[in-house]
Amino acid sequence: MQDVVEKVYEQVVARNRGEAEFHQAVREVLESLGPVISKHPHYAEDGLLERIVEPERQIMFRVPWVDDAGAVHVNRGFRIEFNSALGPYKGGLRFHPSVNAGIIKFLGFEQIFKNALTGQGIGGGKGGSDFDPHGRSDAEVMRFCQSFMTELSRHIGPNTDVPAGDIGVGGREIGYLFGQYKRLRNSYDAGVLTGKGLAWGGSLARTEATGYGTVLFAQSMLATKGDSLEGKKIAVSGAGNVAIYAIEKAQQLGAKPITFSDSSGYVVDEAGVDLELLKQVKEVERGRVADYVARRPGARLVTEGRPWDVPVDVALPCATQNELDADSAASLLRNGCAVVAEGANMPCTPEAIEAFQAAGILYAPGKASNAGGVATSALEMEQNAGRTRWDFATAEAKLTGIMADIHDSCVEAAETYGRPGDYVLGANAAGFTRVADVMIAHGIV
Ligand code: NDP
Ligand code: 2IT
């Protein structure tokens, strides 16, 4: 790392003790900024770097709720409003027992640059809770969401901060959150949340957008080599929103996804994933991956490890952070995998990324390849503001155009800063310069 960025990194570590994931996300961005600052030293002036790594506002609150048996639980709620240079804070809410300030901060930090890459007017933020929705009844999830929103509602608004879904937060949770917000404010502010139901302000293609966008990005990377996804075998991790729609788009483009996973293990289905069955098990029944295997002859369940040992051409990590480490990367490379596109946020460890880059394969960081979700959230906000509704084809065409533009911005920035084909440098440099130019225009705030 260059001296100037190294100093900023050391400050981040000292001021945010023990927040390993946040340090990791900051380090990756700062490492990319060396060549940018060498060429344009003004980006290191006026405390710009020091300001960009410090959230504008961090909110942490108590979320008390009562379970079906009458027992009281106390969870912790978070909203990190990281950067509003480009627009209202925008980013998802994650409900998972592993959530803490460092996790939300890493996600909020990534979101700044991801949102900048979309070219839309959205700042960066993230929130969530250490609440675990697994095994909870609808009524318990509703009471939790109502308590969470009772506090969060003071801090958000269609022009201030616009949350959406992430791990553990899908259509059901967004519904309960919206219902409570509307009740507290006595105002139908559709644009305060995205990922809404289609009958009450949601956008067609938002459900599909993150997974679809990730696969479209992989297709664009392959196109730079005169290749495509047609006929490629794919390993997908996760079995949630991102994984399911990555599998759907990959199948539409003629590829063959053969794995998916959840925290109980991974499934290998050499015949190709039966998507209708997977949706039935995961979206309708909220079941486990074993329920798929029980109904699918030929599919097998592996309860140890992750799907990266299965020989494939393309890997799409779509579950969670640091789920693909150096050993997994070595195994993918040994088996001839030539494309990795991140559907999740920060799923590959720094050592895995280094291995992919050293091997010269196509590797896309999540802030570029999974930006289709938030981009379509911004399209949802646009429809809400105009009190209009586009059909599926219109929304999907816009998503496709945005993903192609993000891909091209990454390629161009990587070339500008002397590392053609380096999508990490490309995404960080292109995202950073968009935010930084506006921060400079706004003065020292
Ligand atoms: P979901 O909650 O719909 O699905 C998450 C999936 O990942 C589940 O199968 C879950 O299994 C698995 N998973 C989560 N945490 C772990 C863990 N610690 N260990 C093993 N498996 C785990 O979430 P999404 O699909 O929405 O999100 C997946 C990833 O994509 C996240 O990194 C998220 O930040 C990112 N992302 C999501 C976007 C969106 O629009 N939803 C947009 C951009 C990025 P289990 O149910 O067993 O926990
Ligand atoms: O990580 C992400 O980009 C998301 N979870 C989606 C955020 C959003 O506001 O749609």
Side-chain angles (χ1 to χ4, degrees):
M1 250 197 259
Q2 273 191 353
D3 281 1
V4 45
V5 288
E6 179 86 48
K7 236 178 62 207
V8 176
Y9 177 71
E10 279 165 11
Q11 266 178 31
V12 166
V13 173
R15 295 178 95 185
N16 301 274
R17 298 273 167 103
E19 296 181 352
E21 292 84 0
F22 180 47
H23 304 166
Q24 183 184 336
V26 169
R27 186 175 186 99
E28 191 224 80
V29 170
L30 289 178
E31 274 175 346
S32 291
L33 295 186
V36 179
I37 286 159
S38 297
K39 202 165 176 172
H40 306 289
H42 71 284
Y43 285 131
E45 290 167 10
D46 291 334
L48 181 79
L49 298 174
E50 288 82 352
R51 283 186 283 140
I52 213 165
V53 297
E54 183 69 16
E56 290 176 16
R57 191 174 300 105
Q58 306 187 47
I59 302 148
M60 206 191 286
F61 51 95
R62 180 169 73 199
V63 190
W65 59 281
V66 184
D67 71 19
D68 289 345
V72 174
H73 298 258
V74 178
N75 284 101
R76 188 171 281 181
F78 300 89
R79 188 72 184 166
I80 309 270
E81 298 180 333
F82 223 119
N83 192 298
S84 61
L86 295 177
Y89 309 104
K90 181 82 196 90
L93 297 171
R94 175 178 293 191
F95 293 169
H96 192 271
S98 63
V99 162
N100 57 41
I103 298 269
I104 299 299
K105 238 185 260 178
F106 114 67
L107 290 162
F109 185 71
E110 289 277 293
Q111 201 82 46
I112 304 171
F113 308 102
K114 180 195 303 193
N115 294 4
L117 280 171
T118 69
Q120 295 158 304
I122 41 179
K126 198 84 187 189
S129 174
D130 56 4
F131 172 70
D132 186 358
H134 287 109
R136 291 290 171 195
S137 68
D138 286 353
E140 289 175 322
V141 170
M142 180 181 74
R143 286 195 295 276
F144 173 81
C145 287
Q146 289 175 342
S147 180
F148 183 85
M149 182 53 86
T150 299
E151 174 61 31
L152 187 69
S153 66
R154 306 164 194 273
H155 309 288
I156 62 175
N159 294 312
T160 307
D161 184 355
V162 184
D166 194 81
I167 292 175
V169 178
R172 174 182 61 172
E173 291 73 19
I174 295 293
Y176 295 147
L177 291 164
F178 185 75
Q180 182 74 349
Y181 181 89
K182 177 170 69 64
R183 177 186 186 197
L184 290 165
R185 291 288 173 99
N186 190 27
S187 178
Y188 208 110
D189 297 333
V192 73
L193 289 169
T194 61
K196 296 183 293 296
L198 297 177
W200 41 280
S203 175
L204 283 157
R206 175 62 188 91
T207 302
E208 293 83 357
T210 310
Y212 276 25
T214 302
V215 170
L216 292 170
F217 199 95
Q219 180 85 323
S220 294
M221 290 201 296
L222 278 161
T224 65
K225 307 277 182 201
D227 202 351
S228 80
L229 283 166
E230 176 87 44
K232 299 274 191 293
K233 268 194 185 183
I234 305 189
V236 175
S237 64
N241 173 260
V242 180
I244 287 173
Y245 293 94
I247 291 170
E248 183 164 293
K249 179 53 77 180
Q251 289 181 344
Q252 286 172 12
L253 296 177
K256 192 177 179 189
I258 58 169
T259 74
F260 56 84
S261 67
D262 66 15
S263 54
S264 62
Y266 68 91
V267 171
V268 185
D269 189 344
E270 289 288 350
V273 173
D274 178 340
L275 188 60
E276 284 321 303
L277 177 59
L278 178 59
K279 285 184 179 177
Q280 174 64 27
V281 167
K282 280 293 176 180
E283 293 185 330
V284 179
E285 299 169 17
R286 296 183 186 274
R288 310 304 287 156
V289 291
D291 302 329
Y292 174 98
V293 173
R295 285 182 241 168
R296 175 77 171 165
R300 64 195 164 88
L301 176 67
V302 185
T303 52
E304 289 291 311
R306 294 209 155 98
W308 317 126
D309 291 331
V310 180
V312 289
D313 308 301
V314 177
L316 304 176
C318 297
T320 193
Q321 64 275 357
N322 294 326
E323 55 162 318
L324 196 166
D325 63 11
D327 288 346
S328 310
S331 156
L332 284 168
L333 291 169
R334 210 167 35 242
N335 289 325
C337 175
V339 183
V340 178
E342 296 183 341
N345 286 305
M346 210 167 77
C348 297
T349 64
E351 296 74 23
I353 297 170
E354 214 178 294
F356 295 143
Q357 294 195 320
I361 69 161
L362 294 166
Y363 163 73
K367 63 168 75 70
S369 47
N370 75 34
V374 76
T376 308
S377 278
L379 299 176
E380 182 172 329
M381 290 161 70
E382 208 175 312
Q383 292 167 81
N384 296 151
R387 293 184 175 274
T388 185
R389 218 179 136 204
W390 305 329
D391 59 18
F392 191 91
T394 303
E396 194 189 11
K398 285 179 193 271
L399 165 66
T400 305
I402 292 168
M403 292 314 297
D405 288 347
I406 295 174
H407 175 266
D408 296 350
S409 307
C410 293
V411 167
E412 203 182 299
E415 278 168 10
T416 302
Y417 296 107
R419 294 223 294 268
D422 182 340
Y423 286 87
V424 175
L425 174 71
N428 287 331
F432 169 79
T433 51
R434 280 188 192 156
V435 184
D437 288 340
V438 174
M439 287 176 72
I440 291 166
H442 289 172
I444 299 173
V445 289

